[in-house]
Amino acid sequence: MAQALAEARLARNLDEVPVGCVIVGPEGDVIGRGHNRTRTDKSPLAHAELLAIREACAHLGYERLQGCTAFVTLEPCFMCAGALSHARIERVVYALRDPKFGGCVSLGEVLSDPRANHRARLLEGPLSEECRDLLVGFFKDRRG
C-alpha cells in the first residue's frame, strides 16, 4: 500500500485526484502501477486501476491477473471494479471507502456479488489515515 500511496502522490503533483494503484503478481513482485491521469490524458478512462491493469497484463503477456493483488488508495469505482473483475484479480486491498463512487462496498458490490462469475477477496484499511489526509488536503487546496 505504501507504493500505491506513492503513486497517489504522483497524481497530486500533476493536479490529479490523488489515487494510486499497484498490482502485485503471484510471485510477490510489482507488475503494474498507475495513478490517476484523467486530466493529463484528457480521458475519463485514465484511472489508476485501469493503468495498472494494463501494465500488469502487458507484463504477464496475458489478459488475466489470476493470483494477483491490487493495492488501491481508494475503493475502486464501478468502472475499475468491473475491470478488476474482468481481469480476474484475486484480491483487492484498498485504504478508504468512497461513499460517492465506490463500487466494491459503498454503492455496490461488483467484486463480491454472488451473481457474478468472478469474485475477489476484499480488504479495507491499510494506510487509511495517510490516504485520507492526502485526499482531504487535495480537495481542501482546490476549494480554498
Side-chain angles (χ1 to χ4, degrees):
M1 187 60 78
Q3 291 186 45
L5 182 56
E7 288 291 325
R9 288 183 180 120
L10 292 174
R12 182 185 170 93
N13 292 343
L14 295 171
D15 199 31
E16 299 275 0
V17 176
V19 176
C21 177
V22 171
I23 297 179
V24 174
E27 305 300 319
D29 53 329
V30 173
I31 60 171
R33 56 180 73 239
H35 52 272
N36 276 3
R37 294 174 43 113
T38 57
R39 291 181 179 98
T40 302
D41 291 2
K42 297 173 182 43
S43 172
L45 302 176
H47 283 206
E49 298 94 327
L50 298 183
L51 299 172
I53 290 168
R54 179 176 289 163
E55 188 174 291
C57 289
H59 177 87
L60 294 176
Y62 189 57
E63 71 274 14
R64 301 285 189 238
L65 298 175
Q66 293 156 317
C68 296
T69 299
F71 292 88
V72 191
T73 57
L74 185 65
E75 175 187 356
C77 69
F78 282 89
M79 175 178 67
C80 293
L84 289 161
S85 178
H86 281 287
R88 304 297 192 265
I89 198 86
E90 183 174 311
R91 188 168 72 126
V92 177
V93 180
Y94 60 93
L96 299 170
R97 288 188 184 198
D98 185 349
K100 296 187 183 226
F101 292 102
C104 297
V105 294
S106 295
L107 297 179
E109 298 177 349
V110 173
L111 289 166
S112 59
D113 190 313
R115 297 170 295 174
N117 66 344
H118 174 75
R119 284 172 293 290
R121 291 182 293 134
L122 302 173
L123 176 65
E124 177 184 341
L127 296 182
S128 60
E129 288 183 35
E130 294 88 336
C131 294
R132 179 178 290 108
D133 290 347
L134 185 62
L135 278 163
V136 168
F138 173 80
F139 286 111
K140 191 179 207 181
D141 290 347
R142 289 185 64 84
R143 293 181 182 127

